Amino acid sequence: MKEKFNGLKPEAKLGGMPEPRGLNFYDNDSNLDFLIRFYVSQEEYKRALPLLSNLGAVAGGELDDLSREADRHPPELNHFNKYGERVDHVNYHPAYQQMEEIGYSQFGLVAMSHQPGVMGWPTRFSRLLKYSFWYLFAQSEFGLCCPMSMTDSAARVIDQFAAPEIKKSFLPRLTSTDMSQLWTAAQFMTEKQGGSDVGENTLVAKKAGDQWELWGDKWFCSNVSADVALVLARPEGAGKGTKGLAMFLVPNKLENGERNRYRINRLKDKLGTKDMASGEVSFEGAKGYVIGNIDNGFKQMMSMVNSSRLSNAVRSAAMMRRSYLEALFTARGRKAFGHALVQLPLMRENIFEILLDTEAAASMIFYTADVFDKSDSGNEEYKVILRILTPLLKGYICKRARYITAEAMEIRGGNGYIEEWVNPKLVRDAHLGSIWEGTTNIVALDVLRAINKDHAGNAFMKDFEKRLSGLNNVFVRRAAKLCLMKAEKLQKQFDSIALEQTLEHEISAKRVMNYMYHICASSLLLQEADYQISKNGGYRKLFVFMHYFQRYVQSSTETSIFDRSLDKWLEPIIDWGDIPSGAVNELLDELETCILKSCV
């Protein structure tokens, strides 16, 4: 499955300093196209194809230009208008406003999973198709994805938990594709003393007649100019910890048009996502509406956070894909020491490593989106699987994106460090993913919590074994045996954690999380390989699995660091008895050819 790139020759176009600007990010992503074919019906695929291609063209051109322009012109906060009245108005650059038009209105990236009719689609978009669009959008613009994700999640929470009158008042505006009607949302959760320890939050909610007033401060409020914020506050007299927190919907303006009683003190000067406003807020008796059960605010907020974690992983995976494109175009178009960079062995190793991580991440996010769809349909088994997959993806993919974006920067060399190129922006934005919605330590501990309290480890293993038991191709089945053998120690670990979460378990939490990710990704690559072989006889996915499994799952004590050949450790797969040895070599040669076509 060769990357097409529509015949572009960047070295000829750009004098030896190539980049994939103007590329259609969908038409030239054979792996994304493969995954959509794998998961959706042929009818849905044909209907979605022109829409995805349209966004792919916008993302590779107009959106990319707007994103870089908005990044250079961060928003500004005006506390007062010319009459001296307090307004706390955030001014955004026109490029950011045009991106909002593309995201919210033209492609309906928020509305698409809440109502039919977006882009002429007859039903609501499935999460799997929805995140296909987000995956393309985020390859050029990460910052705006945060407000869009929070608006999407807030609409979901309001729909699930809010009273009918609140749904009627707020949902139509939050899911609108008309920019004159649209409201955006935020979640204000973090406080100075709390951080990840939300149970330490002190923002207080006081009952005033038949309404609630909020008093106190929130320290990190992204999309601070949102029309609606979901806020965690502690009602007077409520207990300590997260159990004492309630969720309130706090509008920016009241029914009479007046500003609600909270101040934006300042905007944050952030490392990345510079085009999107994050700020510090003081509540001074702001009116809030209780959402759901007043004793269940934290759990309701976590349902929003879990949805946001998957969205975060999708965005990080998208930046990995963009980094792969940048690195590949650079390596193909630049020459050093008399050769194209991609012909040099170490450079080829760099590119291939990025490809492996990028494709594994794509497999994980789209599988999880499919699980989310099944969970939404009421399948209790998939709800438990989703419970552990969302922190798993958030913990690994968002952290790995930091490494991949940095590697792509280094491949471009000195130019990669210059702000006129996209690499610095990718590196800066990638660091956000592993911090927001829970740092890596927090989500690794959440993985343990899911195993200990929700028995999600058993559900994970059952799903893993079911996936590998349904394979058909003889070579893929033999590879699956290796996967199953390597997963055995996970089950023992799960059994131990389920009995009691100990200090030793916490120390190893990140290692457990990472190993679970690699095992799961390996099984998905095998499932995709089985599908590919059955459809067109292609072995590319099997080859990707072989290298991914060797690199991330196979113990370093079993494979020499100087030996990257597949022959030795793959004997359980390629020792085919009565099949002539030449067939083995022929297969391996075909696999090698397949993968190199993606890099050269």
Side-chain angles (χ1 to χ4, degrees), residues 357-376:
D357 282 333
T358 298
E359 294 203 7
S363 295
M364 289 292 282
I365 61 172
F366 288 113
Y367 173 68
T368 304
D370 187 54
V371 168
F372 215 141
D373 283 327
K374 292 171 180 174
S375 172
D376 278 348

Side-chain angles (χ1 to χ4, degrees), residues 17-283:
M17 293 187 181
E19 63 176 341
R21 293 188 82 171
L23 198 71
N24 186 309
F25 285 172
Y26 182 80
D27 291 353
N28 292 282
D29 190 345
S30 56
N31 187 59
L32 176 58
D33 186 75
F34 172 88
L35 289 171
I36 294 173
R37 286 177 181 268
F38 179 73
Y39 280 108
V40 308
S41 69
Q42 185 67 14
E43 181 184 354
E44 279 189 306
Y45 171 78
K46 288 180 179 179
R47 191 187 303 134
L49 187 59
L51 305 178
L52 289 162
S53 181
N54 186 17
L55 178 54
V58 172
E62 179 188 5
L63 182 65
D64 193 41
D65 292 337
L66 291 171
S67 178
R68 299 196 204 190
E69 182 71 9
D71 188 65
R72 290 190 290 268
H73 298 89
E76 297 178 347
L77 174 62
N78 290 336
H79 286 297
F80 301 95
N81 65 15
K82 63 183 179 180
Y83 305 109
E85 299 168 327
R86 183 91 188 204
V87 291
D88 286 352
H89 180 71
V90 179
N91 291 318
Y92 292 92
H93 190 269
Y96 185 84
Q97 295 172 326
Q98 290 178 58
M99 290 194 298
E100 287 184 305
E101 177 76 30
I102 293 171
Y104 286 108
S105 181
Q106 183 178 347
F107 290 97
L109 296 184
V110 171
M112 60 172 31
S113 59
H114 296 278
Q115 61 189 36
V118 174
M119 293 188 289
W121 199 259
T123 61
R124 298 179 182 182
F125 278 84
S126 67
R127 286 185 178 272
L128 190 137
L129 279 176
K130 163 189 160 180
Y131 284 126
S132 302
F133 288 91
W134 283 66
Y135 184 74
L136 292 168
F137 190 95
Q139 288 182 46
S140 285
E141 171 55 20
F142 182 87
L144 177 58
C145 286
C146 177
M148 290 196 301
S149 176
M150 289 193 292
T151 303
D152 182 18
S153 297
R156 177 181 170 87
V157 168
I158 291 169
D159 189 42
Q160 281 185 317
F161 302 111
E165 59 272 19
I166 293 180
K167 292 181 185 181
K168 183 178 179 180
S169 297
F170 291 93
L171 273 180
R173 302 292 292 267
L174 292 171
T175 58
S176 176
T177 57
D178 182 347
M179 295 302 293
S180 67
Q181 298 295 315
L182 175 71
W183 284 350
T184 71
Q187 59 187 53
F188 295 172
M189 190 159 55
T190 305
E191 299 182 15
K192 282 183 183 180
Q193 74 289 344
S196 296
D197 188 3
V198 180
E200 290 295 313
N201 283 5
T202 60
L203 184 75
V204 63
K206 298 181 179 180
K207 197 69 182 291
D210 59 352
Q211 66 183 37
W212 290 89
E213 295 179 348
L214 274 58
W215 298 85
D217 300 312
K218 290 291 182 181
W219 180 243
F220 209 114
C221 304
S222 290
N223 195 28
V224 72
S225 60
D227 302 281
V228 173
L230 292 181
V231 182
L232 286 183
R234 196 177 305 278
E236 282 187 309
K240 296 181 179 180
T242 56
K243 292 182 179 180
L245 296 173
M247 177 187 283
F248 295 88
L249 185 152
V250 182
N252 180 281
K253 291 185 178 179
L254 302 174
E255 293 89 339
N256 59 9
E258 294 181 1
R259 289 179 60 249
N260 207 348
R261 293 184 294 278
Y262 68 84
R263 292 183 289 110
I264 303 175
N265 298 318
R266 62 169 179 166
L267 299 186
K268 299 285 193 181
D269 185 8
K270 298 172 294 182
L271 172 69
T273 62
K274 289 180 173 291
D275 57 1
M276 184 269 296
S278 301
E280 300 163 15
V281 172
S282 291
F283 292 87

